[in-house]
Amino acid sequence: MNADIPKKLMITVKIGRFVEFLVCCHAMKSWTTFLLFFFMTAVFAQREAANWYFGNFAGLDFNSGAPEFLLDGQINTVEGCESFSDAQGNLLFYTEGKTVWNRRHEVMPNGTGLGGSFSTTQSALVVPHPVSKNLYFIFTPDDALSISLGGSNGFNYSVLDMSRDGGLGDIVTKNVTLLDECSEKVSAVRNQTGDYYWVITHYRNRFYAYRVDNLGVNTTPVVSTVGPLIDDFENIRGSLKMSPNGDKLAIAHTIVRPENKGSLYLFDFDVNTGVVSNPLLVSDKRLYYGVEFSSNSSKLYASGLTISGNSADIPENILELVQFDLDDPDIPGSAYVVNTFGANIIGDVAGSLQIGIDKKVYHAIPNAKLSVIRTPNLKGIDCDFREFGVDLGNRASSYGLPPFIQSFFETIVTIENFCEGDVTTFTTESSGDVAAIHWDFGDPASGANNFSTDLNPTHVFSSNGLFEVTVEVEYTNGSNRTFLEFVEIAEIPDVNSVVQLVQCDVDGMDDGISKFNLNEAISLFSKGNEDINGLFFTTEQDAIANVNQLEPVGYTNSANNQRLYVRAFENAECFVIVQVELIVKPMSDLGLYGTIAVCDEGFSALASTISLSNVYHYLEGEFLSSKSIKVFSELDNALLELGPFAIDEELILGPFDSRTLFFRIEEENACDQMGSIQLNILERPDYETERAVQLCDNGEAFLMSELGYDTYTWSNGSASDAITVIEPGEYSVTFTQGVCSYTQVFTVEPVAGIKISEIDIRDFRPNNSVVVHVEAGGGEIQYSIDGGVTFQPSNSFQELFPGTYEIVVTDNCSEVSETILVGGLSTFFTPNGDGINDIWTLSNATYFPNFKLSIFDKYGKLINRFTDALVGWDGTYQNQPMPSDDYWYLFESEEGKVATGHFSLKR
């Protein structure tokens, strides 16, 4: 060793983007050890899940600690998807289970035809090779839709090599089958030492755990036969998730056949052996679909649609998010409904749940925004749910989110006190396993206090904002892990300390009692900060202790001027108390204000469609325009300001639906007046909104609108119900009846005269026919073969007797005619001397001068030939009667027409 190299090295190392610290190494062996430590921490920096692509071209970037929408994604999927980034949070690739896109959003070479499906709950999951850092395994589970169509995707994996295609990646192995059939579920977790992964799927009543280690994918799984039997492929939908610490497994069974009967189960998982055990039915009260754990594995969240009959208070198919406390001795009994979505939620599955690297849990259903549980490690209301709180930049989610390896989201620390100026505490779990720990609070403005080696440190952050806290842990078993926590230090909420919420009194009692939507008070005290939320209580003590929370929607006050207390917060653990005075305004009920006529703008006989703009305009004319006017379908909705109609919205009413609407007049969130109006719906006339009219050569077109209306206004200035035009073009007329007006458009098109181009006469046959071909003309063409006595739309005439016919063709604009001749011969004759049909001859010989007819027997022998219709054939040959039989003829006209056929001689 070179003597000039000091035995003690001081090395500053930067891990990823944000972690920088000083390392002291006494020897080359220590340096090697540190390199190994650095290598391990870089691998497990938790930013592999920093970029999400999902839904309908939607995406989110979590690298800043808060999701920012991405607009460059190419995924368009109904359900599952997967994304993967490197340890520094740089996007590598993403997939919806069938196609793989690289970081440039281009389809990879060989990146199509993977065994997944866009309609699978968890259509793909990526696991990196533990040793070969360029290799990634893409696991794809089965699809109920594919099975219903006669095929099974099975459980497969493909191999992606990031060293290929100039570092953009290439699929080098595709669709290695592990199971011929499985469910739509897949999850993965890393073992405690970080040198292998478990990938778990499910089928029927078995869990299959595949180990991925330095040798790659072990195709022989650890099989655990445990839990309920799911033996119908229609019931294989729903999510499977491992807890971030690897101890638990949760599975949702979306049972739809023979009836809706979902279930949510919790199992123990042995991360050392891959064995699943100890099933616990957590709930069967909903049609469960999405599942997720909080980062410290203490809470389980599930999404489900309520099932009729399981709860008298909840209608069928209402979507709920539910929290279960895994630290509670009675886990099923700890159920807390985090949120109940409105009845207008799209679809028949409840949507995926997925934790992010910010340790918040996100929920996806078809919408332009995701919902989020902001503090999912906290129990009950403190989990801080925000419905549709994450913008996707005019893109849309569907039912799926990328599942990821659950170990990426593990936390070993409980963090408390998030108000600016508070002493934030960090309590480490599993402290007995920790040999050494290094904290970087991501707060360089705090100077030397930005770092700590205490097991359970405290830190006062220098300001409010989002801080990236990095925890580097060396365990007693020799392994090393880096954990990333985003800590949001909130300003003490800047709110109005006292507000008044004014409500109308509409029960006719004028007693100062009414119903309130307390959530409306939030906009009064939040000073425009949309992140401020509030919980309501009857006493200040309850608000401080966060107990006995009030249901905000539909709250009935106990007396006029009652005072409530609000726990106002942006972060659930940083709050101030606000007072809300509930004021009921007497004499504010206008009752039935009047009846207005509105127009039915729909086209259905079973329902009426009205524009709410007519209602709003009427009310604006009756009340001061400076005040807010809102229209609702129900009295309670008007009281609580739930679901007001937009001014440009259309309302569809069935024959038995109420024709009464309710309105609310207010200024500055104070209810001034409420009332109702009756709708007199004027029936829409049944008429053609657009008509095409022909303008014949050198002619004119007569345009007639609907008759019997009050006024008519034509585009050419006429005010009559009909006009005559001589020029082609578009003419419109607006006709009115009362307050309703309707528009009809006539398109006048020039039409050339009709011409007969060809008449195809197929005569001298048992079934003579004529086909008439025309050119030019327009509109409805009619054909006649009897000189115009009768017409038909078909240009073909069948079963015609021999003779002359007058063809007439008309298109209501012009008419042409032509006389034709249909030739023919009788199909039989009876030469028995009775004077009837004794001679077989040409019936219309006048039109065929100088014809020639030859007759042959069935052997081709010439029997007779004649050129005079009066002669014909009398059924003899050489004065001897011929027997009853079929005979053949050859007809030849002077113009060259030739026809052959056969006829019968009958005696």
Side-chain angles (χ1 to χ4, degrees):
M1 178 179 295
N2 192 326
D4 294 333
I5 299 178
K7 294 183 179 180
K8 184 175 181 180
L9 301 177
M10 300 297 293
I11 304 170
T12 299
V13 179
K14 188 176 181 68
I15 298 180
R17 299 178 179 179
F18 304 98
V19 184
E20 185 173 302
F21 60 95
L22 198 63
V23 178
C24 187
C25 300
H26 288 273
M28 186 59 68
K29 181 177 180 181
S30 298
W31 172 240
T32 304
T33 302
F34 171 73
L35 284 178
L36 177 60
F37 173 76
F38 171 77
F39 177 75
M40 294 295 288
T41 54
V43 169
F44 304 139
Q46 295 183 322
R47 291 185 181 270
E48 291 88 344
N51 297 287
W52 295 12
Y53 287 96
F54 55 93
N56 308 125
F57 307 104
L60 290 173
D61 180 353
F62 287 85
N63 275 299
S64 69
E68 300 174 1
F69 59 75
L70 298 168
L71 303 178
D72 48 10
Q74 301 301 306
I75 274 184
N76 186 14
T77 179
V78 176
E79 294 182 80
C81 52
E82 175 69 312
S83 312
F84 213 82
S85 304
D86 63 19
Q88 289 72 45
N90 301 303
L91 175 67
L92 294 178
F93 57 89
Y94 55 96
T95 178
E96 89 299 34
K98 295 188 70 67
T99 302
V100 184
W101 289 268
N102 62 28
R103 64 175 180 268
R104 293 181 180 173
H105 311 285
E106 302 165 340
V107 177
M108 280 190 180
N110 303 310
T112 59
L114 272 67
S117 168
F118 67 93
S119 66
T120 295
T121 306
Q122 296 168 295
S123 62
L125 185 137
V126 172
V127 174
H129 194 293
V131 176
S132 300
K133 300 308 175 184
N134 287 317
L135 298 183
Y136 295 84
F137 302 102
I138 303 176
F139 292 86
T140 54
D142 220 327
D143 174 27
L145 178 61
S146 296
I147 298 174
S148 68
L149 297 176
S152 174
N153 293 341
F155 188 56
N156 304 277
Y157 75 89
S158 301
V159 182
L160 188 155
D161 188 345
M162 284 301 302
S163 68
R164 302 292 185 92
D165 195 27
L168 294 175
D170 186 359
I171 304 297
V172 294
T173 303
K174 191 180 297 184
N175 297 333
V176 178
T177 300
L178 297 171
L179 292 173
D180 291 331
E181 294 179 312
C182 77
S183 66
E184 295 190 351
K185 314 170 195 295
V186 63
S187 189
V189 69
R190 185 175 51 219
N191 74 320
Q192 293 178 347
T193 56
D195 54 355
Y196 64 85
Y197 299 89
W198 290 108
V199 177
I200 304 96
T201 189
H202 179 269
Y203 187 60
R204 294 175 67 84
N205 61 343
R206 295 183 178 89
F207 289 93
Y208 298 84
Y210 293 88
R211 176 167 163 154
V212 181
D213 54 24
N214 61 317
L215 300 178
V217 178
N218 187 335
T219 58
T220 302
V222 175
V223 180
S224 302
T225 303
V226 62
L229 176 64
I230 310 298
D231 57 358
D232 190 322
F233 73 86
E234 287 286 0
N235 301 328
I236 65 174
R237 299 174 178 87
S239 300
L240 183 156
K241 286 290 182 69
M242 305 300 301
S243 62
N245 65 6
D247 290 343
K248 298 290 184 181
L249 178 153
I251 189 169
H253 296 299
T254 307
I255 308 297
V256 297
R257 196 163 67 180
E259 59 183 351
N260 289 340
K261 195 178 64 173
S263 64
L264 175 66
Y265 275 83
L266 183 69
F267 297 84
D268 290 334
F269 184 75
D270 189 328
V271 76
N272 294 312
T273 64
V275 172
V276 180
S277 61
N278 298 327
L280 172 65
L281 176 60
V282 177
S283 176
D284 60 359
K285 293 184 177 181
R286 299 165 187 87
L287 197 63
Y288 287 103
Y289 181 84
V291 293
E292 187 55 283
F293 292 87
S294 64
S295 63
N296 67 1
S297 303
S298 69
K299 306 296 184 293
L300 173 65
Y301 293 88
S303 64
L305 299 174
T306 61
I307 302 172
S308 179
N310 284 343
S311 173
D313 301 325
I314 304 174
E316 183 179 9
N317 287 345
I318 298 298
L319 172 56
E320 293 182 330
L321 296 185
V322 190
Q323 179 198 78
F324 298 92
D325 186 358
L326 304 188
D327 292 331
D328 194 303
D330 180 14
I331 294 175
S334 71
Y336 170 78
V337 177
V338 174
N339 190 61
T340 300
F341 290 85
N344 59 344
I345 296 300
I346 301 172
D348 55 2
V349 295
S352 294
L353 292 163
Q354 179 57 45
I355 190 171
I357 63 173
D358 58 357
K359 309 303 171 64
K360 300 175 183 178
V361 172
Y362 296 84
H363 175 241
I365 53 175
N367 197 277
K369 296 182 178 181
L370 297 183
S371 298
V372 58
I373 303 170
R374 290 160 56 99
T375 51
N377 286 323
L378 301 183
K379 186 175 180 178
I381 189 66
D382 288 337
C383 71
D384 191 10
F385 174 81
R386 305 295 175 97
E387 182 175 308
F388 302 129
V390 181
D391 185 30
L392 299 179
N394 294 321
R395 301 297 168 87
S397 59
S398 53
Y399 297 103
L401 292 172
F404 300 113
I405 298 169
Q406 288 293 94
S407 309
F408 292 161
F409 313 106
E410 183 182 6
T411 184
I412 63 167
V413 59
T414 299
I415 308 173
E416 297 177 298
N417 302 330
F418 297 97
C419 274
E420 185 176 5
D422 280 357
V423 177
T424 303
T425 62
F426 299 83
T427 305
T428 306
E429 301 172 7
S430 305
S431 58
D433 299 330
V434 176
I437 193 166
H438 181 279
W439 300 81
D440 181 336
F441 298 110
D443 184 18
S446 63
N449 293 328
N450 189 40
F451 306 99
S452 176
T453 57
D454 292 343
L455 187 63
N456 299 307
T458 62
H459 183 74
V460 178
F461 286 90
S462 59
S463 66
N464 62 71
L466 191 65
F467 295 86
E468 300 172 8
V469 177
T470 307
V471 190
E472 298 160 5
V473 182
E474 181 180 346
Y475 289 95
T476 55
N477 63 7
S479 64
N480 301 284
R481 293 278 300 277
T482 295
F483 298 92
L484 180 65
E485 300 287 345
F486 290 97
V487 175
E488 186 174 357
I489 300 300
E491 287 184 274
I492 297 175
D494 179 19
V495 297
N496 297 316
S497 60
V498 180
V499 296
Q500 291 182 335
L501 185 60
V502 181
Q503 182 59 291
C504 286
D505 192 344
V506 295
D507 61 2
M509 302 290 290
D510 284 335
D511 54 2
I513 304 299
S514 190
K515 290 182 179 180
F516 287 80
N517 181 355
L518 301 180
N519 287 329
E520 293 179 0
I522 297 175
S523 64
L524 301 180
F525 62 67
S526 63
K527 295 184 177 181
N529 184 348
E530 295 182 353
D531 289 329
I532 295 292
N533 201 353
L535 306 177
F536 297 84
F537 306 85
T538 56
T539 69
E540 186 174 12
Q541 292 76 14
D542 284 353
I544 294 173
N546 199 14
V547 296
N548 302 320
Q549 180 195 358
L550 299 177
E551 174 57 48
V553 179
Y555 176 76
T556 301
N557 63 321
S558 59
N560 205 354
N561 303 316
Q562 179 188 1
R563 186 158 293 196
L564 298 180
Y565 298 86
V566 187
R567 185 183 176 101
F569 62 92
E570 184 172 350
N571 182 299
E573 294 191 352
C574 183
F575 66 92
V576 295
I577 302 300
V578 173
Q579 297 182 40
V580 177
E581 186 177 1
L582 304 182
I583 298 176
V584 178
K585 186 174 182 179
M587 306 301 294
S588 54
D589 183 12
L590 300 176
L592 181 59
Y593 188 75
T595 300
I596 65 171
V598 293
C599 308
D600 183 355
E601 301 184 358
F603 296 91
S604 172
L606 300 177
S608 298
T609 302
I610 65 169
S611 172
L612 272 300
S613 62
N614 295 328
V615 179
Y616 274 100
H617 292 158
Y618 168 79
L619 293 172
E620 288 168 357
E622 294 290 312
F623 299 93
L624 294 177
S625 59
S626 62
K627 295 191 176 184
S628 168
I629 300 175
K630 296 179 182 178
V631 179
F632 304 84
S633 61
E634 303 289 343
L635 175 59
D636 271 4
N637 287 357
L639 262 176
L640 306 176
E641 295 195 68
L642 299 175
F645 293 116
I647 191 170
D648 57 351
E649 189 172 347
E650 289 188 335
L651 175 63
I652 300 176
L653 296 173
F656 302 107
D657 291 337
S658 172
R659 263 57 178 171
T660 300
L661 297 180
F662 298 84
F663 63 88
R664 180 183 180 108
I665 311 295
E666 65 181 17
E667 187 172 9
E668 296 181 356
N669 295 297
C671 183
D672 289 342
Q673 293 171 313
M674 285 180 54
S676 62
I677 53 174
Q678 187 74 28
L679 302 180
N680 176 24
I681 302 177
L682 302 181
E683 184 179 355
R684 180 184 179 86
D686 184 13
Y687 72 101
E688 291 182 85
T689 57
E690 296 181 358
R691 289 183 57 187
V693 180
Q694 295 178 355
L695 181 65
C696 303
D697 284 344
N698 302 317
E700 58 186 24
F702 182 69
L703 311 181
M704 176 174 284
S705 184
E706 300 296 304
L707 301 178
Y709 285 83
D710 298 339
T711 65
Y712 296 87
T713 304
W714 288 86
S715 54
N716 67 353
S718 175
S720 63
D721 57 16
I723 60 174
T724 300
V725 299
I726 60 174
E727 296 290 338
E730 187 173 277
Y731 300 83
S732 63
V733 59
T734 298
F735 52 98
T736 65
Q737 185 175 50
V739 298
C740 303
S741 63
Y742 310 95
T743 299
Q744 191 172 26
V745 177
F746 296 84
T747 302
V748 179
E749 301 173 340
V751 179
I754 197 169
K755 296 179 182 179
I756 297 177
S757 59
E758 179 185 4
I759 300 178
D760 183 10
I761 302 173
R762 303 169 186 177
D763 53 3
F764 291 96
R765 303 182 184 190
N767 177 15
N768 296 321
S769 65
V770 171
V771 179
V772 183
H773 300 279
V774 299
E775 61 184 29
E780 183 180 357
I781 300 177
Q782 296 286 320
Y783 300 85
S784 173
I785 201 169
D786 56 10
V789 177
T790 60
F791 284 90
Q792 66 180 41
S794 172
N795 67 336
S796 177
F797 300 91
Q798 304 291 327
E799 298 183 358
L800 300 178
F801 292 107
T804 59
Y805 295 89
E806 184 179 0
I807 301 293
V808 179
V809 183
T810 180
D811 63 354
N812 298 321
C813 193
S814 60
E815 181 178 291
V816 292
S817 63
E818 187 171 328
T819 301
I820 64 169
L821 172 66
V822 176
L825 292 158
S826 176
T827 58
F828 72 95
F829 77 115
T830 57
N832 54 11
D834 61 359
I836 301 174
N837 206 19
D838 285 335
I839 297 176
W840 187 81
T841 188
L842 183 63
S843 60
N844 49 358
T846 304
Y847 301 101
F848 298 97
N850 301 318
F851 73 89
K852 182 188 297 183
L853 255 174
S854 303
I855 302 168
F856 304 88
D857 65 11
K858 61 184 178 182
Y859 301 107
K861 180 180 179 181
L862 181 63
I863 303 299
N864 199 334
R865 176 179 291 141
F866 58 91
T867 59
D868 187 342
L870 297 177
V871 175
W873 183 44
D874 61 2
T876 65
Y877 176 67
Q878 294 181 355
N879 296 320
Q880 296 296 318
M882 296 298 290
S884 295
D885 206 343
D886 279 350
Y887 293 85
W888 294 86
Y889 68 83
L890 170 65
F891 171 82
E892 301 170 271
S893 71
E894 185 177 34
E895 291 80 10
K897 182 179 182 66
V898 176
T900 62
H902 63 90
F903 63 96
S904 298
L905 187 158
K906 299 181 179 180
R907 294 192 180 276

